[in-house]
Amino acid sequence: MPAYAVAHLREAAPHSEIAEYIERVTATFEPYGGRFLVHGAQHEVKEGEWAGHVVIIEFPGITEARAWWDSPAYREIAPLRSRHIAGDIILVDGVPEGYDPGVTAKSLREALAGE
């Protein structure tokens, strides 16, 4: 089941360390099967607020996503970004093949009926 690294990064002033981070980051996640799904794209806010940018990296699974995040290669370059861009970053499992949201809704309805 795929997993994702999702980042909500705030606006930042241009800095050479950010450019270096961008130049080097792909090499840190490719060994773990990672690939950009969203990077540097415009987004359209439909509800709430979302100032800044979104980045999504797909991995084959959560194990690979965690291994990338904890890897010496990524830990080495992470400060190049974090010193200059505030943000929130999560690792999250995707849904399995054939996922049916109706099963989740049914479980919720059953829990509500038991109240």
Side-chain angles (χ1 to χ4, degrees):
M1 168 169 59
Y4 304 91
V6 180
H8 177 199
L9 303 176
R10 309 311 185 271
E11 295 291 339
H15 194 281
S16 63
E17 285 190 341
I18 296 170
E20 182 179 350
Y21 173 86
I22 293 168
E23 291 166 346
R24 296 175 60 188
V25 71
T26 302
T28 70
F29 60 70
E30 283 182 335
Y32 301 95
R35 69 183 185 99
F36 278 120
L37 293 183
V38 177
H39 186 255
Q42 294 295 317
H43 64 274
E44 186 174 333
V45 178
K46 295 296 190 182
E47 286 188 33
E49 298 178 26
W50 195 291
H53 305 279
V54 63
V55 176
I56 303 173
I57 303 169
E58 180 183 50
F59 290 90
I62 197 72
T63 301
E64 293 85 354
R66 288 180 183 133
W68 162 71
W69 182 261
D70 294 332
S71 71
Y74 186 67
R75 294 288 94 214
E76 179 183 328
I77 69 165
L80 298 173
R81 175 196 43 78
S82 64
R83 282 193 288 260
H84 307 285
I85 303 174
D88 304 302
I89 301 172
I90 62 170
L91 301 180
V92 61
D93 275 318
V95 296
E97 189 72 31
Y99 171 75
D100 179 0
V103 173
T104 302
K106 180 180 177 191
S107 296
L108 178 57
R109 289 195 181 281
E110 289 170 356
L112 290 169
E115 288 183 355

